[in-house]
Amino acid sequence: MPFPKYFLFKGYLCGMEKKLIELRGISKSYDGEPVLRGIDLDIHDSEFVTLLGPSGCGKTTTLRIIGGFETPDEGEVLFDGEKINDVPPYKRHVNTVFQRYALFPHLNVFENIAFGLRVKKPGQPKPTKEEIVNKVTEMLALVNLKGFERRHINTLSGGQQQRVAIARALINQPKVLLLDEPLGALDLKLRKDMQKELKSIQKRTKITFIYVTHDQEEALTMSDTVVVMADGKIQQIGTPVDIYNEPQNAFVADFIGESNILDGIMREDYKVKFSGREFLCLDAGFDKNEPVDVVIRPEDVDIVPIDRAMLTAKVTSLTFKGDYYEIITDVCGFKWMIETSDAVEDGATVGLSIDPDAIHVMKKSEYSGKYGDYSTYSEEAEHLSDVETEEDGE
């Protein structure tokens, strides 16, 4: 019986799609400061890949190297198996959509989209007027802008301008579309709508999308594969489910959603000790009594009566979120975040229960001890951090 086109192995997508882009040992420095440190990455045909990480992690530099706007100091960039380190951007089968869409304000929507057809590369036949009209019409339908042909750019909303930029980038049918934080200038509701729209466009065109963002929700919502980056290195590659449920170190666990990250001791296979007691878990393969990091997501902790509790905690703050409460609790001097639908009082002592499959054990890393304690947590600080990241860029 033949294998299906795709099959899953340990959560990773293993398919028949060929490798389209390969990065091998890519390093890059600016003024002696390393930005990328030995990046290895495979990107497959028809895949939606997101490079995710905080400002300064190297994700935009990686994108620019793929596009030909930067040259690596070390390593190879392969496209369809051929080295393209020195191939200029206009000779690569790649187009780019930037956060600032760089549309031509003196041209209407039709002419902006048609621009790429009118400046065809040398040696390629010039398209006829009819071919241009047909192709632009097709692109307008693809990005849901049918009827906008004669509209001027300055009369369009931010979301509409972004759609024009995407249509212009796709009209020459590139093998790869690079998107550098293209939703950053949009408001929250429009950004969420465009996340769905971008994923739909990628599925319909089957063009490889490589998307850069610092927004975890964008990455989890749209991607086939998420590449988490920090400090110029790839921290983890996997499906959105893998990245969220099976983070490989404390940085990934903290960056992707909220996480309580605790010091623990792996007593033996399937048994870990933290917060003063031993718990059953689903992890194995560690040395006996090996120090580890333990990740517990806030939504995976249950509030239970004290007499049935595995741990007890004191509620130190309480925030009503509409369909759940976000509470910060003190457990043995360590501040946990818990998300629950149970109403509790500020200052109350509550019982906690944790199922074995809610406990994720990780090897210690350079990021151990830096994340996961909510003693200084505030929504205002989180919001300020997001704003600073958007303004800093890459």
Side-chain angles (χ1 to χ4, degrees):
M1 180 176 172
F3 284 111
K5 186 174 181 182
Y6 299 105
F7 60 95
L8 286 174
F9 178 70
K10 290 187 177 180
Y12 287 93
L13 185 64
C14 302
M16 304 303 290
E17 301 292 357
K18 66 178 181 179
K19 292 178 185 178
L20 187 61
I21 296 172
E22 301 169 66
L23 304 183
R24 295 287 175 260
I26 298 296
S27 295
K28 181 72 176 179
S29 296
Y30 296 109
D31 299 324
E33 290 294 322
V35 177
L36 295 177
R37 308 166 188 260
I39 296 291
D40 291 308
L41 178 62
D42 293 334
I43 297 172
H44 297 81
D45 195 22
S46 303
E47 190 176 19
F48 196 126
V49 177
T50 296
L51 307 180
L52 173 68
S55 179
C57 72
K59 57 188 185 293
T60 292
T61 301
T62 302
L63 195 80
R64 290 177 63 81
I65 286 173
I66 293 171
F69 304 108
E70 300 282 353
T71 302
D73 298 334
E74 298 177 10
E76 294 184 334
V77 183
L78 305 177
F79 194 101
D80 268 344
E82 295 185 8
K83 184 176 177 180
I84 60 168
N85 287 44
D86 299 320
V87 176
Y90 69 90
K91 288 188 176 181
R92 301 189 183 193
H93 298 289
V94 173
N95 268 341
T96 306
V97 177
F98 298 100
Q99 183 173 355
R100 293 173 176 84
Y101 310 131
L103 299 173
F104 302 115
H106 64 288
L107 300 179
N108 62 22
V109 169
F110 183 98
E111 291 300 333
N112 263 279
I113 297 174
F115 183 80
L117 293 178
R118 298 194 191 281
V119 291
K120 273 290 198 178
K121 298 174 183 178
Q124 294 183 338
K126 184 178 179 180
T128 66
K129 183 177 180 180
E130 183 181 3
E131 288 172 336
I132 291 175
V133 170
N134 289 341
K135 197 65 179 175
V136 171
T137 301
E138 180 185 338
M139 289 297 104
L140 286 166
L142 180 68
V143 298
N144 291 324
L145 284 179
K146 196 172 180 180
F148 281 69
E149 294 89 332
R150 303 304 166 193
R151 293 277 294 272
H152 289 287
I153 294 301
N154 59 9
T155 68
L156 303 181
S157 68
Q160 290 165 344
Q161 289 184 24
Q162 188 213 47
R163 291 166 191 258
V164 174
I166 292 169
R168 186 177 66 181
L170 292 176
I171 199 163
N172 281 332
Q173 298 180 306
K175 289 187 177 180
V176 179
L177 184 64
L178 308 179
L179 300 108
D180 188 6
E181 306 235 26
L183 307 185
L186 306 181
D187 63 51
L188 180 60
K189 184 179 185 306
L190 187 53
R191 204 156 64 219
K192 289 180 178 294
D193 291 341
M194 286 306 303
Q195 289 172 14
K196 298 175 184 176
E197 193 68 29
L198 279 174
K199 184 61 177 175
S200 174
I201 290 171
Q202 191 270 331
K203 287 295 185 186
R204 281 180 280 164
T205 61
K206 298 191 182 301
I207 291 172
T208 299
F209 277 29
I210 306 176
Y211 190 96
V212 161
T213 185
H214 65 270
D215 188 298
Q216 302 93 326
E217 183 183 357
E218 283 183 7
L220 298 177
T221 298
M222 297 189 292
S223 312
D224 299 317
T225 302
V226 179
V227 180
V228 184
M229 300 181 67
D231 302 320
K233 295 180 287 187
I234 292 175
Q235 302 297 322
Q236 188 169 350
I237 303 172
T239 66
V241 172
D242 288 330
I243 295 291
Y244 187 83
N245 289 334
E246 301 290 332
Q248 289 182 359
N249 61 38
F251 173 83
V252 177
D254 179 77
F255 195 76
I256 307 295
E258 302 293 347
S259 295
N260 303 296
I261 306 175
L262 317 164
D263 287 325
I265 300 291
M266 199 68 184
R267 289 302 192 198
E268 58 187 49
D269 286 353
Y270 313 115
K271 186 179 288 184
V272 63
K273 182 177 181 180
F274 60 89
S275 298
R277 65 154 293 169
E278 292 183 350
F279 295 81
L280 295 177
C281 64
L282 303 184
D283 295 280
F286 295 84
D287 294 336
K288 281 195 175 184
N289 295 318
E290 178 180 347
V292 293
D293 286 335
V294 179
V295 177
I296 301 173
R297 297 288 187 182
E299 66 271 19
D300 291 333
V301 183
D302 294 323
I303 304 291
V304 298
I306 298 292
D307 61 356
R308 292 198 289 112
M310 296 177 171
L311 295 170
T312 58
K314 182 177 181 180
V315 177
T316 60
S317 73
L318 174 71
T319 305
F320 180 58
K321 293 288 193 174
D323 56 345
Y324 69 95
Y325 293 91
E326 179 184 273
I327 63 176
I328 305 299
T329 64
D330 188 300
V331 181
C332 301
F334 194 92
K335 294 297 192 300
W336 292 34
M337 176 185 283
I338 299 171
E339 295 175 357
T340 178
S341 58
D342 298 318
V344 295
E345 293 184 5
D346 197 357
T349 297
V350 297
L352 308 181
S353 179
I354 309 162
D355 292 334
D357 62 358
I359 298 170
H360 176 61
V361 180
M362 306 182 300
K363 291 277 188 181
K364 286 288 185 181
S365 73
E366 62 185 296
Y367 301 103
S368 297
K370 296 182 179 180
Y371 305 102
D373 179 6
Y374 287 90
S375 58
T376 59
Y377 175 78
S378 73
E379 288 188 291
E380 290 78 10
E382 290 282 296
H383 177 67
L384 179 60
S385 174
D386 288 344
V387 171
E388 288 175 348
T389 301
E390 290 180 8
E391 290 178 348
D392 288 346
E394 190 73 26

